[in-house]
Amino acid sequence: MTLQGKRRVAIAAAALAMISVAGCAPSKPKGGRRAPAAASDVAVAAQKTYVAPGDLDEYYMFSSGGHSGQVFVYGLPSMRHLGTIPVFTPYPGTGYGYDDDTRKMLGAYTWGDAHHPALSETKGDYDGRWLFINDMNGRVARIDLRDFKTKQILGPIPNVSGNHGSSFVTPNTEYAMMSSRFSVPIPLGTYAPIEKYATDYKGVVVGVKIDPKSGEMSLGWEIVTPPFDWDLGDAGKGVSDGWMFFTCYNSERGTGKLEVTASQRDRDYIAAVDWRLAEKSIAEGKGKMIGGVRVLDPREVPGLIYLMPCGKSPHGVDVSPDGKWIIGSGKLQGVTTAFNFEKVQTAIRNKDFIGDEDGIPVLKYESIKDAEVPVGLGPLHTQFGPDGFAYTSLFVDSAIAKWKLGTWEVVDKIPVSYSVGHLAAAEGDTVSPDGKYVVSLNKLSHGRHLSLGPSQPESSQLIDITEEKMKLLYDAFTEPEPHYAQIIKADKVKPIEVYPKEENKHPLATWDVKEAGPKREGDRVVVRTVVVRSTITPTSVEVNQGDTVTFAITNIEQTTDELHGFGLLGYDRNLVVDPGETKTVTIKADKPGVFPYYCTNFCSALHQEMQGYLIVKPRAGGDEKGRKHGEEHD
Ligand code: RUQ
Ligand code: CUA
């Protein structure tokens, strides 16, 4: 047995001993909410989730941070929160949004609503290169998994209002997809009264092109659609590769109280989009420029998009690992429907339509479905295991159902606490799911933790799916708000520990303290700055009031973990510079006085000594005036 294995057994034994002691004490029911679990179950769960100090987790889980605009990184099975990747929101912890480059990337936005992470794929399998994530403000971002940093934010994308149905990637990361949740007149900025909703408001579906080498995103194409509310999506794979599926609600084209007006019909739709045809049509010069992008009208490109009737107000749509089935359901139903992709193709060939919506053919439900699986109430989202099992989250039942593809038999159900939205299985939306774990991303945590007052955390529960019956292993609590997560085998991700010196091509990188210091050109001052234990060089800089000052800071360490910060008091800036990295921060020195800068990231025994002064000399005769002006900084 390995040392690690031995340690695990010893610890499990200790846990067991602890539990048997605890087992003698009267259990303390909390408002009668929870039946105490059997001691043996607790011991097994403890052993399965315990990652001993120094040991590593087996999986990364990337969880969306919702309206925090961030991505949270967890280790599984421990469910430890390992880090936060700021994406659409400034984050002083890593200095994101304070240096010149990331400030520019965030633009004028101070928040984002990040919903659905999508790991890059090669042949339908996660390849560990990038993570994409959408923002409701019409944007999509790319995180590089080499350094876990946000490298690009594309958007706001023209014509998209409320980019919820995103950022699903295609099996070879050709595209990240987008769709609009809120239909509006396009291009954005166009006026039309609400009474004209059904005719003058439009939805759009967008293909965001991804460069296969660099991951760089660019605008591909758009398709205009009726004013439905597009919700979620999934890319076809295997037999259905080349197709993209999106759910929608409000096919009624209602306005006002949607809970009433958008619930008139029995069925809404899943749209099936032939994205290769979209690509080809754009290459042939089809489409019309709207809002600065080429937009295809389905009336002019027959075969581009079809509507599959689906239970009222569906949420998730999920394609089985072989691409054969498309799973979707009304979110107030008790069943989920398995649509058969071959039957969809046959129905298209036979023109087995029941009508159209603004020229988009509507397929016949009975002709394209294989089964209605009685999973339970409120099915939202489905993930897959390696053995033909599917796992569906049930919001109303507050449970997860396990069922079999092909036989459509529901074999198990496990309650969760409380009200699951999405769920994530280990590599559970790829062509080769891993099994092992499902994480239930719950909306409410209902006091299964120390109270934090009225603002309650969300809960993520780890469930063991290795046996026939699912077993709850662990409760973890998270900040708002994981809408969806993806779980990748840890050894597929290959992060660096320092930025190698030879890769640093920053024009202002400075590796020698002798070259550090200010250089003036007119009223612009560039301060080459070197940070290394335990000095910031230069230790003081004098400039004139009104100068534009750029600190170009290079952390010349090449040692793991040796981060340095650069907090500038009075000017509202804080950066963190990783080993080998150069970042710039520019301020307008409009306030006279003496402003300390210091290392914000604890780095050594003499971290506290790592400090200096920016001295801003008042304008001649402008002293009083300058000071007053200076009370507001930019
Ligand atoms: S969505 S659960 Cu973007 Cu399902 Cu929120
Ligand atoms: Cu450098 Cu603290």
Side-chain angles (χ1 to χ4, degrees):
M1 193 185 290
T2 61
L3 194 61
Q4 189 178 320
K6 271 189 199 143
R7 212 187 306 168
R8 239 172 221 252
V9 170
I11 277 146
L16 197 60
M18 247 154 61
I19 287 147
S20 44
V21 172
C24 303
S27 62
K28 199 172 90 187
K30 267 196 153 188
R33 236 180 242 123
R34 191 166 28 132
S40 64
D41 286 352
V42 174
V44 169
Q47 190 191 11
K48 287 195 164 177
T49 55
Y50 188 76
V51 176
D55 285 355
L56 303 180
D57 278 296
E58 191 182 351
Y59 291 94
Y60 286 100
M61 178 167 82
F62 294 96
S63 187
S64 82
H67 45 291
S68 78
Q70 301 165 337
V71 165
F72 306 129
V73 189
Y74 297 87
L76 258 60
S78 74
M79 295 300 281
R80 292 180 294 196
H81 173 226
L82 303 177
T84 294
I85 306 172
V87 185
F88 298 111
T89 315
Y91 186 54
T94 60
Y96 182 82
Y98 295 86
D99 67 292
D100 295 339
D101 288 343
T102 58
R103 266 166 78 93
K104 198 167 141 217
M105 197 158 65
L106 287 175
Y109 288 86
T110 60
W111 72 289
D113 189 358
H115 274 241
H116 315 116
L119 286 156
S120 56
E121 296 180 8
T122 300
K123 294 195 182 126
D125 245 324
Y126 298 154
D127 58 22
R129 296 199 289 168
W130 308 300
L131 180 74
F132 298 87
I133 191 158
N134 66 318
D135 164 29
M136 285 291 287
N137 293 292
R139 299 181 293 172
V140 58
R142 182 184 84 253
I143 295 160
D144 196 333
L145 293 180
R146 185 173 179 254
D147 58 1
F148 285 55
K149 300 230 170 88
T150 305
K151 290 297 160 66
Q152 188 191 5
I153 294 177
L154 185 74
I157 303 280
N159 309 323
V160 175
S161 190
N163 168 39
H164 187 262
S166 186
S167 60
F168 324 106
V169 302
T170 49
N172 284 298
T173 322
E174 297 96 335
Y175 287 96
M177 296 292 178
M178 263 191 171
S179 59
S180 56
R181 174 169 159 199
F182 311 112
S183 288
V184 294
I186 58 169
L188 300 184
T190 306
Y191 164 81
I194 196 76
E195 291 72 27
K196 292 261 174 80
Y197 183 85
T199 51
D200 290 19
Y201 286 48
K202 298 290 172 202
V204 288
V205 164
V206 187
V208 172
K209 187 97 195 88
I210 299 169
D211 183 285
K213 284 238 166 64
S214 65
E216 195 73 10
M217 299 177 286
S218 58
L219 247 179
W221 39 261
E222 292 189 1
I223 302 170
V224 66
T225 75
F228 306 154
D229 292 55
W230 297 109
D231 200 22
L232 283 165
D234 196 14
K237 46 180 167 288
V239 288
S240 52
D241 188 11
W243 290 77
M244 181 70 209
F245 303 94
F246 292 101
T247 53
C248 76
Y249 57 98
N250 196 19
S251 62
E252 292 84 350
R253 312 185 189 205
T255 56
K257 279 192 182 181
L258 287 196
E259 59 175 315
V260 182
T261 57
S263 300
Q264 305 297 313
R265 292 184 176 178
D266 278 347
R267 298 209 182 281
D268 284 301
Y269 301 117
I270 295 171
V273 178
D274 182 345
W275 62 258
R276 290 222 169 86
L277 180 58
E279 193 171 53
K280 189 167 151 259
S281 306
I282 289 290
E284 287 166 356
K286 293 196 178 126
K288 199 164 77 207
M289 286 301 278
I290 304 176
V293 60
R294 286 261 291 294
V295 182
L296 297 167
D297 185 334
R299 278 183 235 259
E300 283 151 24
V301 188
L304 188 59
I305 168 168
Y306 296 92
L307 296 171
M308 304 158 50
C310 170
K312 186 183 345 217
S313 301
H315 194 49
V317 53
D318 298 284
V319 179
S320 62
D322 53 9
K324 217 167 135 183
W325 287 292
I326 300 132
I327 315 298
S329 40
K331 63 178 172 244
L332 297 172
Q333 281 186 303
V335 298
T336 193
T337 302
F339 297 92
N340 184 320
F341 182 74
E342 308 262 299
K343 288 187 179 173
V344 170
Q345 293 304 304
T346 308
I348 291 173
R349 267 196 308 276
N350 297 341
K351 297 209 166 31
D352 196 358
F353 306 143
I354 56 163
D356 76 292
E357 294 270 9
D358 298 357
I360 305 173
V362 179
L363 301 164
K364 192 165 158 201
Y365 177 77
E366 287 72 24
S367 305
I368 57 175
K369 73 139 210 275
D370 256 1
E372 288 179 345
V373 187
V375 285
L377 264 190
L380 285 192
H381 182 219
T382 298
Q383 294 264 288
F384 304 93
D387 39 15
F389 284 105
Y391 300 83
T392 300
S393 60
L394 306 167
F395 182 80
V396 180
D397 273 357
S398 191
I400 288 172
K402 173 181 177 181
W403 54 279
K404 187 98 185 171
L405 289 163
T407 70
W408 319 119
E409 185 194 350
V410 178
V411 297
D412 190 26
K413 220 181 241 190
I414 187 171
V416 292
S417 301
Y418 284 89
S419 300
V420 53
H422 290 231
L423 76 177
E427 309 215 345
D429 69 350
T430 68
V431 294
S432 59
D434 273 18
K436 289 197 172 178
Y437 305 111
V438 156
V439 174
S440 174
L441 305 165
N442 307 322
K443 294 299 169 191
L444 311 171
S445 56
H446 264 353
R448 287 167 67 104
H449 51 79
L450 291 175
S451 176
L452 301 175
S455 187
Q456 303 275 325
E458 317 267 316
S459 93
S460 294
Q461 293 184 298
L462 182 73
I463 293 163
D464 181 356
I465 56 164
T466 53
E467 286 162 37
E468 200 189 318
K469 290 242 158 246
M470 295 178 279
K471 284 212 179 79
L472 175 64
L473 295 178
Y474 200 81
D475 277 12
F477 301 97
T478 76
E479 298 205 355
E481 172 181 0
H483 290 267
Y484 180 42
Q486 287 189 332
I487 301 168
I488 179 173
K489 197 94 207 283
D491 60 16
K492 286 189 178 174
V493 181
K494 306 245 156 20
I496 53 167
E497 299 209 329
V498 300
Y499 292 98
K501 180 178 175 183
E502 57 282 5
E503 274 183 29
N504 185 331
K505 301 278 188 285
H506 199 289
L508 292 169
T510 308
W511 290 88
D512 186 344
V513 285
K514 287 204 263 337
E515 281 159 25
K519 205 170 169 193
R520 169 179 293 280
E521 257 179 54
D523 59 359
R524 286 200 46 99
V525 181
V526 174
V527 188
R528 286 179 174 264
T529 307
V530 172
V531 290
V532 65
R533 280 163 288 175
S534 297
T535 304
I536 302 177
T537 311
T539 54
S540 70
V541 178
E542 189 166 316
V543 300
N544 299 322
Q545 184 184 1
D547 283 345
T548 299
V549 183
T550 298
F551 287 91
I553 306 158
T554 303
N555 176 349
I556 64 170
E557 310 268 2
Q558 289 283 279
T559 313
T560 307
D561 255 355
E562 278 304 334
L563 284 62
H564 297 288
F566 184 84
L568 177 58
L569 300 185
Y571 278 95
D572 194 35
R573 293 289 191 279
N574 173 53
L575 321 188
V576 175
V577 195
D578 296 353
E581 195 178 29
T582 300
K583 280 184 180 170
T584 63
V585 57
T586 302
I587 55 144
K588 178 100 173 128
D590 48 10
K591 280 179 290 190
V594 174
F595 304 94
Y597 48 80
Y598 72 104
C599 177
T600 45
N601 208 103
F602 195 99
C603 51
S604 70
L606 296 175
H607 152 82
Q608 205 73 354
E609 280 72 4
M610 212 166 157
Q611 63 182 60
Y613 289 106
L614 171 67
I615 299 162
V616 183
K617 194 172 164 192
R619 239 180 241 117
D623 195 357
E624 271 315 300
K625 198 170 146 238
R627 196 167 291 140
K628 252 198 204 129
H629 268 289
E631 262 147 36
E632 295 139 35
H633 51 77
D634 66 332

